[in-house]
């Protein structure tokens, strides 16, 4: 059944998260609300961190709720917000995304870079140059992917060095979102339009020619049947059903142009 959330129902929902089966967190405006999943009742409401807006919510492996905020990250503890990580002298900055690479150890996508966090330490990753890293994703093979506004797509190696060579294979360096679906395909959306997919060492780019609008593709999510939902910047939501069958490779020969040397012209379609 469809259960309507109990009043006060926010007029516009900004962010939500299901940390478990019992309740969901919802952010609207400057309020954090917790609702029961079973009956939709409101069982808690608190102010969000001050002096800015919440970009995203994240739950750690220990069950701690973090607000990723344009003034830093904040841990929700006993009804109050505490700066995270709590490191003396650390200058908190805009936090766009976060992944937990092992219990208690995180890679944060932040303003002008990326950082490795624990609860009491911070280490900056060495990027080719300063750039806003806006998305982070851990793939099923353990790789950590980062997407930035100008450097494009980057891979974090096990030694925490950065491989930025992947951007030469994709449509754009203006990355909006990196996402892995249930089949292990890594998807990248771009702020100037289009998406790309990566599987088994091979990239596919999807653009206006494949039915997407010529505007930014902001986010990617997967539905229960494996279909993808793409949200765009002003163009609505698009639905994409990936083809699970490998395309057929065909080589069609044309008229021979240099017959004496046995050379033929041909066109190639497929992989």
């Amino acid at each position: 059944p469809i259960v309507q959330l109990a009043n006060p129902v926010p007029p516009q929902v900004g962010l939500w998260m299901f940390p478990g089966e019992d309740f969901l967190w919802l952010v609207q405006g400057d309020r954090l609300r917790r609702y029961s999943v079973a009956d939709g009742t409101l069982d808690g409401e608190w102010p969000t961190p001050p002096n800015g807006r919440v970009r995203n919510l994240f739950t750690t492996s220990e069950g701690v709720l973090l607000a990723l905020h344009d003034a830093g990250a904040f841990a929700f503890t006993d009804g109050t917000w505490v700066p995270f990580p709590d490191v003396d002298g650390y200058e908190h900055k805009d936090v766009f995304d976060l992944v937990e690479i092992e219990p208690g150890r995180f890679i944060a996508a932040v303003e002008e870079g990326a950082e490795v966090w624990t609860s009491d330490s911070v280490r900056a990753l060495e990027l080719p140059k300063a750039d806003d890293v806006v998305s982070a994703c851990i793939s099923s093979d353990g790789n950590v992917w980062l997407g930035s506004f100008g450097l494009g797509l980057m891979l974090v190696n096990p030694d925490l060095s950065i491989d930025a060579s992947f951007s030469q294979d994709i449509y754009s360096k203006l990355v909006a979102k990196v996402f892995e679906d249930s089949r292990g395909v890594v998807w990248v959306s771009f702020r100037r339009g289009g998406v790309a997919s990566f599987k088994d060492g091979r990239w596919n780019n999807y653009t206006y020619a494949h039915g997407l609008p010529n505007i930014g593709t902001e986010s990617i999510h997967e539905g229960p049947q494996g279909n993808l939902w793409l949200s765009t910047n002003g163009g609505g939501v698009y639905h994409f059903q990936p083809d699970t069958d490998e395309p057929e490779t065909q080589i069609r020969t044309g008229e021979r142009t240099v017959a004496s040397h046995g050379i033929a012209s041909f066109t190639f379609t497929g992989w």
Side-chain angles (χ1 to χ4, degrees):
I2 297 176
V3 177
Q4 183 180 12
L5 298 182
N7 287 328
V9 178
Q12 182 178 0
V13 175
L15 298 168
W16 65 90
M17 168 178 283
F18 288 90
E21 297 182 355
D22 298 330
F23 65 92
L24 68 88
W25 294 108
L26 184 149
V27 171
Q28 192 275 329
D30 60 355
R31 307 300 293 177
L32 173 72
R33 296 180 171 96
R34 187 173 63 193
Y35 287 90
S36 166
V37 171
D39 57 13
T41 56
L42 176 69
D43 62 8
E45 181 175 349
W46 304 265
T48 57
N51 303 322
R53 66 187 177 94
V54 177
R55 290 188 177 275
N56 213 336
L57 296 174
F58 184 90
T59 303
T60 71
S61 59
E62 296 180 347
V64 177
L65 178 69
L66 299 179
L68 310 185
H69 192 273
D70 54 17
F74 296 86
F76 189 61
T77 305
D78 297 327
T80 61
W81 296 102
V82 179
F84 183 91
D86 188 11
V87 177
D88 289 340
Y90 173 59
E91 183 179 350
H92 291 267
K93 59 194 69 174
D94 198 343
V95 183
F96 297 96
D97 207 353
L98 190 70
V99 293
E100 190 168 12
I101 54 178
E102 58 187 52
R105 194 162 180 246
F106 308 86
I107 290 181
V110 300
E111 177 185 2
E112 296 190 345
E115 298 172 340
V116 181
W117 291 352
T118 66
S119 61
D120 57 3
S121 68
V122 174
R123 171 187 169 183
L125 295 179
E126 295 185 10
L127 304 185
K129 63 178 182 178
D131 193 25
D132 289 348
V133 177
V134 296
S135 184
C137 169
I138 297 183
S139 57
S140 55
D141 57 8
N143 287 327
V144 177
W145 297 90
L146 301 176
S148 80
F149 276 147
L151 291 172
L153 185 68
M154 297 171 283
L155 180 66
V156 182
N157 294 314
D159 63 357
L160 299 181
S161 63
I162 299 293
D163 182 355
S165 64
F166 294 91
S167 291
Q168 62 188 348
D169 299 318
I170 57 178
Y171 177 70
S172 170
K173 290 186 177 181
L174 299 174
V175 172
K177 181 71 175 179
V178 187
F179 169 80
E180 186 189 45
D181 68 19
S182 60
R183 300 177 299 134
V185 179
V186 175
W187 292 87
V188 185
S189 65
F190 304 107
R191 292 199 173 271
R192 296 287 175 84
V195 298
S197 66
F198 181 75
K199 179 70 173 177
D200 298 328
R202 180 178 182 272
W203 284 101
N204 284 307
N205 290 284
Y206 302 88
T207 62
Y208 179 79
H210 300 88
L212 289 173
N214 266 334
I215 55 177
T217 306
E218 295 294 321
S219 191
I220 307 175
H221 293 280
E222 184 177 12
Q225 305 301 320
N227 45 357
L228 297 178
W229 296 89
L230 314 175
S231 64
T232 63
N233 185 13
V237 177
Y238 285 72
H239 170 254
F240 174 58
Q241 178 63 56
D243 190 355
T244 57
D245 297 325
E246 295 186 359
E248 180 183 359
T249 298
Q250 298 178 346
I251 297 178
R252 298 191 296 271
T253 61
E255 295 183 3
R256 297 189 175 220
T257 56
V258 191
S260 61
H261 291 82
I263 299 175
S265 64
F266 64 90
T267 58
F268 176 80
T269 303
W271 283 0

